[in-house]
Amino acid sequence: MRIEEDVKLDFKDVLIRPKRSNLSSRKQVDLHRTYKFKHSKAQYTGVPIMAANMDGVGTTEMAKVLNQHNMFTCLVKNYTESDLGDIVHMSDNFAISTGTSENDFRRLSMIINSYPEIKFICIDVANGYQERFADYVAEVRDAFPDKTIIAGNVVTADMTQELILRGADIVKVGIGTGSVCTTRVQTGVGYPQLSAIIECADAAHGLNAHIIADGGCTCPGDVAKAFGAGADFVMLGGMLAGHDEGGGEVISEDGRNPRIQFYGMSSDTAMDKHHGGVAEYRSSEGRTVTIPYRGPVQTTVLDILGGVRSTCTYVGAPTLRQLSKCTTFIKVNRQINDVFLK
Ligand code: 5GP
């Protein structure tokens, strides 16, 4: 047994120090980024905030709205070819998600045969540390040399590098941080997300590859911190849940306080819904919760983009690209004044 003594940090452990800035308005801030991916050699330009491939979030309806803001969607795994026609013709800003079974590979191949213009594949498992997973990433890389491959999840530099060397262009980072994830309760495994982002981004950037900070963002400030820590993309589940575009049923017992069900992709609810078809998707369970219904996602999107733009003006970053260079984190004991939140 070994103990690492240095304390790892989460979003809640830091704030971003303001710096002198000559930006006078949030309007001056450009949130677009352009990346060239390591293996696919494809070029991407967009606002690198993503909807997670979760029920109620990673839907084609969500992808259509986010695409209007040049944002990205990792679609849920259960879409069939016929579900995808619209979005394929409308947008490049989405990924087809897949697991690692033979059936998953067959489905992926069929979809890409039908729609060769699809640019991104998201290979998603709970535990990216299994040897079999890296082998699978290598197989998908061989089969689809020009597709940009997202692979995860991991939280450490060693495995980030391993996945990149086996063919991933973008590594998805985050274990145990999700809003409806119970990995830490069930297994005791995890890694504070801010430190995971800092360490994995450093590892990936050294190899000219990219990372997604996946999970744990609770507010626009957390999204800004993830970019400040070096994330190339930030993926959101809970923050984009509860909206019309997620397609969930609005529940309201008394006609007031409408709510929507939201659940982790390895929760009992997800297992029941997908008939055990994704039973291996997450090794640990997820939570099922109901959250306030929030109407169209547009308002939330503008709130998130406005928050990140504002962060950029506080630290003097005219573009999102400069945000991490302009970021100094300070460790804090108190985040917010919650006197009226209790
Ligand atoms: P959020 O933005 O809601 O905090 O986190 C979203 C992320 O949580 C997803 O992208 C995914 O990585 C993770 N996640 C989704 N469902 C589950 C689940 O059932 N169990 C676990 N452990 N993680 C989940």
Side-chain angles (χ1 to χ4, degrees), residues 52 54 153 172 177-183 214-217 235-238 264-267 282 284-286:
M54 299 174 74
N153 280 21
K172 200 148 69 77
T177 61
S179 58
V180 281
C181 155
T182 55
T183 298
D214 172 24
C217 289
M235 177 175 271
L236 306 175
M265 294 309 286
S266 70
S267 62
R282 296 284 176 196
S284 50
E285 300 244 321

Side-chain angles (χ1 to χ4, degrees), residues 14 19 23 28 34-35 51 85-86 121 130 132 158 201 214 226-227 245 257 260 287-288 320:
V14 300
K19 290 188 180 153
L23 296 165
Q28 290 171 272
T34 295
Y35 302 130
D86 271 9
I121 299 169
Q130 291 155 348
R132 160 98 191 87
D158 55 344
D214 172 24
F227 283 123
E245 291 77 2
N257 303 322
I260 284 192
R287 217 173 263 126
T288 301
L320 185 60

Side-chain angles (χ1 to χ4, degrees), residues 244-267:
D244 291 335
E245 291 77 2
E249 191 190 340
V250 180
I251 318 152
S252 175
E253 272 157 21
D254 53 2
R256 284 178 297 166
N257 303 322
R259 300 179 75 82
I260 284 192
Q261 194 183 54
F262 178 51
Y263 49 87
M265 294 309 286
S266 70
S267 62

